[in-house]
């Protein structure tokens, strides 16, 4: 599902009719203009947070990345949207590592494959969120609506949307881990 579709569904639920109409006519070439609307920009920024939270707490998204160490270290910031390490391999064998001062530290320099939990990068309203194909996107819609209401001071609406969001999100905990394609970095 595309981010813009989630934003449209959320705008409709929130009663943002003007923004819903803008989103309905937005194309990839007019995205920048649509994002000049304060409410649409707010929805776009909040969906990033909502998806990050969903992946961190409810729907694990796993990926792999090849790294090369210097001084037996590699900064965690080199791992895209890092949440936590699952395991690390060198030449197909698991290796021990430590995390010290936001760095992965190893016994020796070399090439390693790091398997870790992540969340998808969102750069455009037209980005496709692959892991959503495994379940109903309503969970993201309710999450986005709840955070929109919270940030707008609509506390009663926030509670209603948040309860629906948490209920759906909790049911996703038993799903299989979604695998993102491996990234290769030197």
């Amino acid at each position: 599902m595309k981010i813009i579709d989630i934003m449209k569904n959320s705008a409709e639920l929130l009663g943002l009719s003007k923004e819903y109409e803008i989103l309905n006519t937005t194309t990839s070439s007019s995205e920048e203009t649509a994002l000049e609307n304060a409410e649409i920009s707010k929805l776009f920024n909040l969906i990033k947070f909502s998806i990050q939270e969903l992946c961190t707490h409810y729907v694990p998204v796993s990926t792999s990345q090849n790294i090369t160490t210097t001084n037996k270290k590699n900064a965690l910031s080199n791992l895209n949207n890092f949440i936590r390490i699952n395991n690390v391999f060198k030449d197909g064998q698991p290796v021990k590592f430590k995390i010290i001062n936001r760095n992965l530290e190893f016994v020796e320099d070399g090439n390693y494959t790091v398997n870790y939990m992540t969340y998808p990068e969102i750069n455009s309203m037209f980005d496709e969120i692959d892991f959503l194909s495994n379940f109903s996107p309503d969970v993201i819609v309710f999450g986005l609506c709840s955070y929109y209401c919270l940030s707008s001071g609509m506390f009663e609406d926030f509670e209603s949307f948040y309860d629906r969001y948490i209920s759906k999100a909790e049911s996703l905990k038993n799903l299989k881990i979604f695998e993102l394609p491996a990234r290769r970095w030197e």
Side-chain angles (χ1 to χ4, degrees):
M1 176 171 241
K2 292 185 191 283
I3 294 296
I4 194 165
D5 296 324
I6 296 166
M7 291 173 65
K8 283 185 218 177
N9 291 344
S10 299
E12 188 173 33
L13 273 176
L14 292 164
L16 301 172
S17 54
K18 176 184 168 195
E19 286 73 15
Y20 177 79
E21 291 303 320
I22 293 170
L23 289 168
N24 236 3
T25 59
T26 298
T27 63
S28 58
S29 60
S30 65
E31 177 179 7
E32 196 172 308
T33 304
L35 286 169
E36 291 173 1
N37 176 292
E39 300 305 308
I40 291 174
S41 179
K42 185 178 189 177
L43 286 171
F44 184 66
N45 290 325
L46 288 171
I47 198 166
K48 293 176 187 180
F49 174 76
S50 185
I51 288 174
Q52 180 180 348
E53 180 191 42
L54 187 67
C55 292
T56 302
H57 299 291
Y58 301 103
V59 182
V61 177
S62 177
T63 194
S64 296
Q65 189 169 318
N66 291 335
I67 62 169
T68 302
T69 59
T70 306
N71 298 325
K72 303 175 190 173
K73 295 180 185 180
N74 193 287
L76 288 175
S77 61
N78 291 332
L79 302 176
N80 298 324
N81 299 332
F82 167 77
I83 296 173
R84 71 179 173 274
I85 303 286
N86 293 335
N87 51 45
V88 179
F89 291 89
K90 181 177 182 187
D91 300 324
Q93 299 297 315
V95 295
K96 293 185 180 187
F97 62 92
K98 293 179 183 177
I99 298 177
I100 300 173
N101 295 329
R102 303 280 304 147
N103 287 300
L104 277 170
E105 294 193 8
F106 301 95
V107 175
E108 62 184 11
D109 277 331
N111 297 315
Y112 296 89
T113 301
V114 180
N115 298 308
Y116 65 100
M117 305 311 287
T118 187
Y119 56 91
E121 184 74 34
I122 299 170
N123 297 310
S124 165
M125 289 192 290
F126 292 90
D127 285 350
E128 189 81 33
I129 302 298
D130 296 334
F131 79 93
L132 288 178
S133 63
N134 292 344
F135 56 89
S136 169
D138 289 353
V139 67
I140 299 287
V141 171
F142 291 142
L144 178 54
C145 287
S146 69
Y147 291 117
Y148 178 88
C149 290
L150 181 64
S151 69
S152 299
M154 302 161 47
F155 300 115
E156 288 179 20
D157 291 332
F158 162 74
E159 287 179 12
S160 173
F161 281 120
Y162 191 72
D163 288 345
R164 292 159 79 185
Y165 167 63
I166 292 300
S167 174
K168 289 215 176 249
E170 285 290 333
S171 70
L172 300 174
K173 281 187 172 180
N174 296 328
L175 287 179
K176 204 174 170 183
I177 293 175
F178 182 80
E179 300 281 334
L180 286 180
R183 296 188 183 257
R184 312 246 186 259
W185 300 86
E186 295 292 330

